Amino acid sequence: MEIRKLFSYVFYMTDADLPPAQYVDRARARRSVDALHEAFIRSGSRFALAEFSAALSEWVAAAAEPERALTNLQRFVAAVLSVPTLFNDLLQYPLYGDLLFRLFGASQYFADVLIREPGLFPWLTSTDALSVPLGEEYLRGETSRVFETFQSPEKRLDALKRIHRRELLRIGARDLLGRAGLAEVTAHLSLLADAMIDGALCVARQQTGDPGTAFGTIPFCVIGLGKLGGNELNYSSDVDLLFVYGEEAEGKGSGTAHEYFNRLAQRLVRNLSGASAEGHLYRVDTRLRPESGAGPLARSLTGYLTYYESRGELWERQMLIKARPVAGDRSLGREYIARLEPFVYPRTMFEHPAAAVARIKARIEAEVGTEANLKLMAGGIRDIEFIVQTLQLVNGGLNPAVRERNTLAALAGLQRHGMLDGHEAKALGDAYILYRTLEHRLQMVLNTQTHTIPADETSYAALARRVGMDSPGDLRRVLDGHLERVRRLFRQVMVAAPESPSAIAAVTEEGIDDGTIARILGGQGFRDSRQAARCVRFLTAGNALTGEREHDARTRAAFRAVAPEVFSAIARVPDPDLALASFTSLAGGQKIPHVFFGQLADPRFRRFVLEICARSPRFARGLARDPLLLDMLASDPGALAGAPSLSELPDGDLIAVKVREELRAGIRHVLGFTDFDGFTGELSLLASRIVATLLLRTTGVPRGRIPLAVFALGKLGTGELGLDADLDLLFVAGKGGRGGHEEAENAAGALMQALGTVSADGRLYDADVRLRPEGRNAPLVAEASSYANYLATRASLWERQSLTRLRFIAGDPTVGSVVASMVASWVYDAPLPEGWSAEIVAMRRKMESRSRTRVGGYLDIKLGAGGMADIEFIAQMIQLKMGGHQPELRGRPTVTVLRSAGHGALSIERASYLASAYGMFRRLEFLLRAGLEDRSWILPDGETLARLYDGASAEALRTRVEGTMKRVRSEFLDIARSLA
């Protein structure tokens, strides 16, 4: 008779036996039930179908995920050698079916293990595997047995993986059957890890080779940290490891002990984490070693002691609370831990542990965000661990009895010694047991390292059933209550910590990797979060390039004390990336950084420093190179309010004088003590004084003894000098005979050479003398009478235009007065040639050919059509046209000429617009130099310049500049025609 027809005559599971609340796909579950009934009938079991159907109904009702359990039972039935024996055993011994459905419904990983090795089921059920806890001696014997059986490293590692898989199944089965509580389960998982690490170490020694007598007697130990160290390992957990060896030594032809034991450690890590057909043992995390994972894998005992004594962080104390020897020479491990106890539990600390722990937790919560991460969320596992460890750090120095690695044992110890009351300890202990049980039930599903509470209702309901809750609502209510109580206790314990540390400040804590820092900073407005992370690493540790810490504990504590205010301010500036990079540069230049960080506690000084960093990396770096100026400003920020006196420059290096005074002028402008005209005026005065001082120093004679006058042209002539500008100079000598002119020529040459001086601090100025008579091939110095003749007979219109900016700045004042009068008469009194304005327009167009704006869409704000040069030409054309009868226009700055009332060339509206456009171009030029350190006049594509200028986007700034240049060019051409 066909099986399906048989179903119409015998009892089997009905739809009523398939509770709909527990199924996602009811039709699929129905198919699985039918397939299992068919398999049972085919098996020829001695039990009746009705008995199997009734038992299956009970098993399904008790399964956490019935569909998963049914599917896995089908697969298992197909994998076993004797299906009749399986069904007979399941029905004869009710525990067997209960065990299978608990395993199959709670863990796909354990189901896959049994399906892969069906023989493990009778091992579980027919031996004492479920009744006798895992033992160290047993594991040691199993390891020895397989090592005697197999000789090759690969086969030994595969045998270890089979033992690991089998014993994980045993631990999980005892856990799910309720035969082992959480403490026993985590202890057994840790014991199993110890045995596997020890076995993998033996294989690593075999793979690394015989070290010989030089290293063979040096002990080596593997130290477990984190949950492994605390004997509270998860089902699917990384193992946090450190490696220590006894002493340094050198072997004949075999390198050093340091090299050997690092090779051994590397091989051990590969053995534990490497995959084969048998899977892998453990993921290994070695980032808790000194220097935040950047240092060598293995160190000598002395190396560790030296490191922690000189550079150990509070987070490393916290981490070492759980340190435990897990493999290798345990006596060395015990000595390692004993020698480090004064570091882990000092009697006094630079900083209260609660403050640092609160920062770490704030950083973690910022990283997790709204994710329901049972380990890291507010009130979760990490909060309990941090409460325990903080109390241990605070009290462990004077009370060794609280120095306990295991969290539950530590809670009990803290209660016994009055550091937690009974209600607090119970609340934390109950929450910890629930959290870790939930964590285990989540991880054993697929043997993955997950801590996330599922968001969908079906998965959440299955999780509730896996921990014995009647409904998802019950779990949610109980879980929320624990989270709230733990969070409240966390806040009480951390009362010494700052209130609600910001995430951006929390990233300054040691032990956090660059990727995590970058993710947090990316959420705080930093565009280049990787670069920002490197800056944070440097500020925190002192050396971001090598990964080696340079800051001592005092410096790190000083920085963290001001970090919240510093980062809060940086996050609010137009370009946080620029400001952070500038601040990092400034901090990196301090010889005593903890003093600098301490000064930042003063709000005035902090605002002063961060304002400069937000506006100008150039000035920030300048302050880093000039600690005396920074110290002076730290003690009296108001010292910048007054303009410096430059009537006489100090003796000594003029390059250093120039660098300091330019820096002072730039900072005064950035902080609002001067407007832009005042800033360029200070730079022009400084350059003029330097030229005069150099002339005196190079000639060695008082002013006037050599009949030589030095004139400024260009922006120096009108007092509009900007950063990095050339000095346009003109040298004219008075009457003095042949010897006098030669002396003047020598003096001018010496001055030019001195102006080009370069030192480690930089250089003085690039001087341009191409505006001299007859151009670049003529003598450097023009004789006054010859120069007058040149102007009257051969000088071009463009030279006349350039001389509107002439100003005497150094040398013989008598010669200077005569020449200035002579030039003014020619420039302003002589009639302008026919078509002069059209010639100037043509000359201006010729200048555009030197600009990149003709290629590829560049915007050149100086030479491009409608740029600064257009407006300067307008002012100079007005001076040429009107300067003869309006002397107040002569030699004046561009904006002054534009705005001067009474010249009649421009309407008030037009003058105002051109002055505003010129101000925009000059401001952009300043930001290019001071903010981007770019010496060109090309508008860049990036966002930084736009952010510094007005906070708009680069596209908006480009649109504005294009529109301005278009209108300026139109105004230029129109004004040129009107002046003709």
Side-chain angles (χ1 to χ4, degrees):
M1 181 180 296
E2 292 182 7
I3 290 174
R4 294 204 177 273
K5 288 183 179 179
L6 181 64
F7 282 174
S8 63
Y9 300 106
V10 298
F11 172 80
Y12 66 99
M13 290 180 68
T14 67
D15 286 349
D17 297 310
L18 298 171
Q22 297 185 19
Y23 291 97
V24 177
D25 187 343
R26 189 175 178 82
R28 180 182 176 188
R30 176 78 269 173
R31 289 193 296 272
S32 294
V33 168
D34 289 348
L36 286 168
H37 279 82
E38 292 178 14
F40 178 81
I41 293 171
R42 288 197 184 97
S43 71
S45 170
R46 69 175 184 269
F47 289 91
L49 179 62
E51 292 176 284
F52 173 72
S53 186
L56 185 60
S57 180
E58 292 180 8
W59 296 334
V60 167
E65 291 187 75
E67 286 175 85
R68 185 189 299 274
L70 288 168
T71 300
N72 284 326
L73 181 58
Q74 279 185 267
R75 296 173 61 217
F76 187 61
V77 167
V80 297
L81 292 176
S82 175
V83 177
T85 300
L86 173 64
F87 282 125
N88 289 338
D89 286 348
L90 289 177
L91 293 174
Q92 183 173 353
Y93 304 105
L95 171 65
Y96 290 11
D98 183 46
L99 172 61
L100 271 187
F101 268 76
R102 285 183 185 274
L103 286 170
F104 287 172
S107 172
Q108 189 60 47
Y109 172 72
F110 289 148
D112 291 342
V113 170
L114 281 174
I115 292 165
R116 176 176 180 167
E117 298 181 70
L120 290 179
F121 185 64
W123 171 75
L124 276 177
T125 55
S126 303
T127 69
D128 60 3
L130 292 177
S131 58
V132 176
L134 194 64
E136 184 176 353
E137 289 296 325
Y138 165 77
L139 286 172
R140 188 179 295 116
E142 288 295 282
T143 303
S144 298
R145 179 180 58 80
V146 298
F147 276 29
E148 290 173 0
T149 304
F150 302 106
Q151 297 302 314
S152 75
E154 293 77 15
K155 290 187 178 297
R156 286 181 168 181
L157 287 173
D158 280 345
L160 287 176
K161 292 170 185 176
R162 288 191 290 272
I163 294 173
H164 177 253
R165 190 165 57 237
R166 182 190 71 202
E167 297 306 329
L168 268 183
L169 178 65
R170 180 218 293 256
I171 295 169
R174 284 174 51 81
D175 183 2
L176 290 169
L177 287 172
R179 296 192 176 188
L182 176 70
E184 182 180 314
V185 168
T186 56
H188 287 173
L189 290 170
S190 302
L191 182 64
L192 177 60
D194 291 358
M196 296 300 99
I197 294 169
D198 216 6
L201 176 59
C202 291
V203 176
R205 288 188 181 277
Q206 176 187 0
Q207 294 166 318
T208 307
D210 183 5
T213 56
F215 307 139
T217 58
I218 298 175
F220 177 82
C221 183
V222 182
I223 305 294
L225 303 167
K227 287 185 169 60
L228 173 61
N231 279 306
E232 48 194 351
L233 202 63
N234 294 330
Y235 280 102
S236 180
S237 177
D238 295 350
V239 288
D240 297 306
L241 303 179
L242 290 178
F243 308 101
V244 57
Y245 56 92
E247 61 189 47
E248 299 290 359
E250 292 190 12
K252 294 182 179 180
S254 56
T256 64
H258 180 79
E259 293 168 340
Y260 170 73
F261 287 113
N262 271 276
R263 288 198 304 273
L264 180 63
Q266 290 167 1
R267 176 59 69 176
L268 171 57
V269 170
R270 287 198 293 271
N271 287 348
L272 291 170
S273 58
S276 69
E278 298 291 346
H280 77 283
L281 289 169
Y282 295 97
R283 297 177 301 274
V284 180
D285 192 339
T286 61
R287 291 174 297 175
L288 295 179
R289 67 187 188 272
E291 298 167 63
S292 301
L297 271 182
R299 292 176 186 243
S300 68
L301 175 59
T302 301
Y304 277 108
L305 295 174
T306 301
Y307 169 82
Y308 288 124
E309 181 180 8
S310 62
R311 294 191 284 166
E313 284 279 354
L314 190 140
W315 71 268
E316 289 170 306
R317 289 189 172 98
Q318 186 181 355
M319 168 268 294
L320 287 168
I321 288 174
K322 291 182 177 289
R324 178 176 66 86
V326 299
D329 192 313
R330 262 73 166 190
S331 62
L332 172 63
R334 288 189 290 271
E335 181 184 0
Y336 170 87
I337 291 166
R339 298 278 297 273
L340 283 176
E341 277 192 347
F343 166 71
V344 179
Y345 297 105
R347 292 176 180 265
T348 59
M349 296 185 184
F350 285 114
E351 180 183 22
H352 195 289
V357 171
R359 283 197 307 272
I360 297 172
K361 192 60 175 65
R363 176 258 298 171
I364 290 171
E365 289 180 14
E367 178 185 357
V368 174
T370 59
E371 179 186 347
N373 187 305
L374 193 60
K375 178 180 179 181
L376 304 178
M377 66 196 297
I381 294 171
R382 189 67 89 216
D383 275 17
I384 299 174
E385 294 172 339
F386 280 7
I387 289 170
V388 169
Q389 291 160 17
T390 299
L391 292 174
Q392 288 178 303
L393 289 172
V394 171
N395 298 285
L398 298 174
N399 191 342
V402 303
R403 301 175 185 178
E404 173 61 59
R405 299 183 185 98
N406 182 273
T407 301
L408 290 174
L411 281 170
L414 291 168
Q415 180 187 354
R416 280 195 306 272
H417 293 276
M419 294 151 203
L420 289 171
D421 65 31
H423 295 295
E424 292 168 338
K426 185 177 188 308
L428 293 171
D430 290 349
Y432 190 75
I433 290 171
L434 174 63
Y435 295 165
R436 293 299 306 278
T437 302
L438 286 167
E439 184 181 49
H440 283 179
R441 297 301 177 264
L442 289 167
Q443 292 183 352
M444 66 170 51
V445 175
L446 297 172
N447 195 35
T448 54
Q449 189 181 26
T450 180
H451 310 278
T452 302
I453 301 292
D456 66 281
E457 286 299 321
T458 301
S459 299
Y460 194 90
L463 177 62
R465 289 193 296 274
R466 287 202 292 270
V467 294
M469 295 282 183
D470 292 334
S471 70
D474 289 343
L475 175 58
R476 189 170 286 109
R477 184 169 53 257
V478 172
L479 180 57
D480 288 346
H482 282 303
L483 290 169
E484 176 54 35
R485 284 189 290 275
V486 171
R487 190 57 177 160
R488 185 171 62 251
L489 289 171
F490 182 84
R491 287 194 294 266
Q492 291 173 7
V493 170
M494 302 301 159
V495 69
E499 188 70 21
S500 300
S502 66
I504 201 167
V507 299
T508 63
E509 192 59 42
E510 281 289 340
I512 176 173
D513 62 273
D514 284 353
T516 300
I517 296 175
R519 285 194 298 275
I520 295 173
L521 293 176
Q524 298 290 332
F526 290 90
R527 289 169 295 153
D528 188 347
S529 55
R530 292 287 176 183
Q531 177 60 33
R534 287 191 285 272
C535 290
V536 170
R537 180 70 69 210
F538 178 85
L539 290 167
T540 304
N543 194 327
L545 296 178
T546 65
E548 297 179 359
R549 283 204 300 268
E550 292 183 347
H551 288 166
D552 56 21
R554 178 170 55 176
T555 300
R556 296 192 292 274
F559 172 63
R560 288 175 185 140
V562 298
E565 290 80 9
V566 168
F567 281 116
S568 177
I570 288 175
R572 293 194 301 268
V573 304
D575 195 316
D577 296 82
L578 182 80
L580 180 57
S582 300
F583 178 73
T584 304
S585 174
L586 178 54
Q590 306 307 306
K591 288 185 168 52
I592 312 177
H594 77 266
V595 172
F596 171 69
F597 292 139
Q599 290 169 331
L600 289 169
D602 179 350
R604 291 187 308 159
F605 181 68
R606 186 170 62 248
R607 283 195 299 271
F608 157 72
V609 166
L610 295 180
E611 183 73 12
I612 292 168
C613 292
R615 302 289 188 87
S616 174
R618 174 180 182 146
F619 298 153
R621 193 160 44 252
L623 279 178
R625 291 194 297 264
D626 196 340
L628 293 178
L629 179 59
L630 182 60
D631 288 344
M632 183 271 288
L633 297 174
S635 60
D636 181 17
L640 287 168
S645 173
L646 295 175
S647 56
E648 287 191 17
L649 299 182
D651 293 336
D653 183 3
L654 284 180
I655 293 180
V657 172
K658 180 208 175 198
V659 169
R660 170 171 287 193
E661 294 305 327
E662 276 192 350
L663 176 60
R664 188 196 299 266
I667 292 174
R668 277 167 47 77
H669 176 54
V670 164
L671 297 181
F673 291 112
T674 59
D675 59 15
F676 190 73
D677 291 339
F679 166 64
T680 58
E682 288 181 18
L683 294 188
S684 300
L685 178 59
L686 173 63
S688 300
R689 292 289 186 266
I690 287 176
V691 170
T693 301
L694 278 177
L695 183 62
L696 180 60
R697 289 185 182 182
T698 54
T699 60
V701 296
R703 185 174 63 172
R705 291 288 298 274
I706 297 177
L708 174 66
V710 184
F711 295 91
L713 297 165
K715 286 187 171 66
L716 178 59
T718 52
E720 302 172 278
L721 200 66
L723 292 170
D724 303 322
D726 296 349
L727 303 186
D728 293 313
L729 300 178
L730 174 67
F731 299 99
V732 182
K735 294 181 180 179
R738 180 175 180 80
H741 189 275
E742 184 177 347
E743 190 176 15
E745 186 79 25
N746 291 338
L751 174 61
M752 290 292 293
Q753 184 175 3
L755 282 171
T757 300
V758 178
S759 75
D761 293 327
R763 67 180 301 147
L764 280 174
Y765 297 99
D766 287 322
D768 190 340
V769 293
R770 290 174 297 175
L771 294 177
R772 65 188 185 272
E774 312 292 359
R776 69 181 63 194
N777 295 321
L780 191 59
V781 179
E783 194 275 325
S785 59
S786 299
Y787 186 42
N789 182 62
Y790 171 80
L791 293 178
T793 59
R794 300 190 304 282
S796 64
L797 179 61
W798 71 264
E799 289 174 290
R800 186 169 178 175
Q801 181 182 348
S802 68
L803 289 171
T804 59
R805 293 178 161 190
L806 184 81
R807 179 170 63 90
F808 172 75
I809 59 171
D812 189 328
T814 302
V815 176
S817 177
V818 170
V819 173
S821 177
M822 174 186 69
V823 168
S825 176
W826 177 68
V827 171
Y828 299 110
D829 296 336
L832 290 166
E834 186 72 24
W836 68 276
S837 63
E839 185 177 344
I840 288 177
V841 169
M843 183 166 45
R844 173 68 186 96
R845 291 188 187 279
K846 185 176 180 181
M847 290 172 62
E848 293 167 27
S849 66
R850 305 204 304 271
S851 169
R852 286 189 288 172
T853 55
R854 292 179 175 271
V855 182
Y858 288 104
L859 282 181
D860 185 331
I861 61 173
K862 178 181 180 180
L863 297 180
M868 276 190 284
D870 275 19
I871 301 175
E872 290 166 351
F873 272 40
I874 290 171
Q876 291 156 23
M877 290 166 71
I878 291 172
Q879 289 173 305
L880 290 173
K881 181 75 173 181
M882 310 291 186
H885 57 276
Q886 295 185 35
E888 68 275 9
L889 296 176
R890 301 177 183 182
R892 306 296 288 170
T894 301
V895 172
T896 302
V897 173
L898 295 174
R899 292 188 181 276
S900 293
H903 57 60
L906 303 177
S907 67
I908 293 176
E909 180 186 2
R910 176 177 270 180
S912 177
Y913 176 79
L914 291 172
S916 174
Y918 193 68
M920 180 184 77
F921 292 141
R922 292 304 307 272
R923 180 69 180 161
L924 289 171
E925 177 189 35
F926 171 78
L927 293 174
L928 282 168
R929 306 290 185 272
L932 277 66
E933 300 183 87
D934 183 349
R935 297 190 64 172
S936 77
W937 286 271
I938 305 298
L939 198 70
D941 293 330
E943 298 289 334
T944 299
L945 183 65
R947 290 188 176 202
L948 291 176
Y949 182 73
D950 61 1
S953 66
E955 182 180 359
L957 177 62
R958 184 180 182 87
T959 299
R960 179 176 177 181
V961 171
E962 284 179 332
T964 301
M965 292 178 71
K966 183 176 181 180
R967 178 172 171 182
V968 166
R969 171 45 60 98
S970 176
E971 297 283 5
F972 168 64
L973 297 176
D974 189 46
I975 292 168
R977 285 191 296 269
S978 69
L979 290 173

